[in-house]
Amino acid sequence: MIRRVLPHGMGRGLLTRRPGTRRGGFSLDWDGKVSEIKKKIKSILPGRSCDLLQDTSHLPPEHSDVVIVGGGVLGLSVAYWLKKLESRRGAIRVLVVERDHTYSQASTGLSVGGICQQFSLPENIQLSLFSASFLRNINEYLAVVDAPPLDLRFNPSGYLLLASEKDAAAMESNVKVQRQEGAKVSLMSPDQLRNKFPWINTEGVALASYGMEDEGWFDPWCLLQGLRRKVQSLGVLFCQGEVTRFVSSSQRMLTTDDKAVVLKRIHEVHVKMDRSLEYQPVECAIVINAAGAWSAQIAALAGVGEGPPGTLQGTKLPVEPRKRYVYVWHCPQGPGLETPLVADTSGAYFRREGLGSNYLGGRSPTEQEEPDPANLEVDHDFFQDKVQSAWAGYYDYNTFDQNGVVGPHPLVVNMYFATGFSGHGLQQAPGIGRAVAEMVLKGRFQTIDLSPFLFTRFYLGEKIQENNII
């Protein structure tokens, strides 16, 4: 299908694959090189103006089957699984566009790196169970020849969630679903809690759930770099720049009840180059929107939400940046090395950080307390006074139901989403990437059915609320 859409993008023209070359592993073939050398010589002969060819090695390719907008862990996971599941090596050309090559403000690197299965929805539990398996076998998935093995520094201390009397019944219900999906989670009474963790104050605690396997935290930066290294070895191309425009075609159609809808197909992505006024058009067949907290802006560029309110055409992508603070403090007499990540009834959480009696944590703000996401400055008064350091990062927050958006848009037919996970995108990235790749290559979800996460639920008003968001 992709070859039919862009036959010239995959054909053997002037661009042929040669190892060790620049511009994404492609260079002009020999005949092309000779031709260009002749042009250069002619350009400097007497009577001719000098017109040496400009260096374009920093530009993205003119054609790519798939353009992934966003080079964080979700975008890289999609790239990995597209190459992993392609029918033959090199069948699909994939370009990842990332505007911040340092990842200094990327959600991935600013995450606390937690992974757990204690969700209320089966789909989220299944995604995190697969991610646990992926991370446990990381070097089987992401090994690169002659490169050192990855060390995610996984700490399997688990998650410990505390519930008040008001929330105890919901916790029991959630744990029942978690166990049905295969998660190893135990319920603990206040007495059992004090026996296992004597340092916990159980006042106001009616029930606790404790993840006994495949839960804890890991190094998110290592996962990001491991994915990036692997996909580069598989031939994925990278470009530092910002997507500023989509060129698309439209087709007016009638639904079964004779309502007119306009279907769009993106044909070209315009990438504005870093610190430059120039842009490069890239012809493509598929666009993956993995732009995280800014994915709604990318969707709007494609015309998503440009229609009358209450219609499918007028339904926007309800994802926005939400700022979250992380604080680090020192506590020499604090809980020991086997301390899990603890989430209190108040919404506060903490975990150990390293071996030096340091801890990190934070608190989920109420709607009234939501900080201004215009920058990543930290409000040091939000948590407590005695902290050593702090930072802030962004959630790609789905204001509709705090769950991810996965799969194609119903009207912009070749834009696919991998966004809106509201704080659990990092830990679920391996499964999300696989699901999006399945949908692109096979037309359906094959391993984990993520149909409830499709875009159409926003138009239909069908919330699939996730109750356990930290």
Side-chain angles (χ1 to χ4, degrees), residues 116 118-119 159-163 171 178 188 193 205 207-211 215 341-345 468 470:
C116 79
Q118 296 184 59
F119 292 100
Y159 268 49
L160 179 65
L161 308 186
L162 309 180
M171 175 174 280
Q178 293 154 16
M188 304 175 73
L193 197 55
V205 176
L207 194 64
S209 62
Y210 177 49
E215 290 194 349
L341 188 151
V342 181
D344 187 46
T345 58
N468 285 356
I470 297 177

Side-chain angles (χ1 to χ4, degrees), residues 193-331:
L193 197 55
R194 282 191 296 269
N195 287 336
K196 186 168 182 63
F197 304 109
W199 43 267
I200 284 187
N201 179 357
T202 59
E203 182 180 350
V205 176
L207 194 64
S209 62
Y210 177 49
M212 299 181 294
E213 188 177 297
D214 291 334
E215 290 194 349
W217 53 93
F218 62 94
D219 181 355
W221 183 251
C222 180
L223 176 61
L224 176 74
Q225 293 302 317
L227 278 167
R228 187 178 173 96
R229 184 181 74 177
K230 181 63 176 181
V231 300
Q232 284 181 308
S233 75
L234 295 174
V236 171
L237 309 178
F238 284 82
C239 169
Q240 182 185 355
E242 183 176 359
V243 172
T244 58
R245 185 188 176 206
F246 295 110
V247 177
S248 59
S249 60
S250 300
Q251 182 179 5
R252 192 176 183 88
M253 299 187 68
L254 292 178
T255 64
T256 54
D257 53 355
D258 291 330
K259 291 184 179 180
V261 295
V262 177
L263 300 183
K264 290 186 176 181
R265 178 175 292 276
I266 298 169
H267 299 287
E268 192 173 271
V269 180
H270 286 193
V271 181
K272 180 180 176 296
M273 308 314 298
D274 186 47
R275 293 187 296 273
S276 172
L277 295 177
E278 66 178 329
Y279 74 88
Q280 172 70 32
V282 182
E283 293 184 12
C284 64
I286 300 288
V287 173
I288 309 294
N289 186 344
W294 295 272
S295 54
Q297 298 175 19
I298 298 300
L301 289 176
V304 173
E306 292 182 357
T311 67
L312 183 56
Q313 287 173 284
T315 302
K316 300 179 185 296
L317 178 65
V319 176
E320 65 183 31
R322 292 281 180 100
K323 186 162 69 172
R324 294 293 180 265
Y325 304 123
V326 181
Y327 302 90
V328 180
W329 62 93
H330 184 68
C331 184

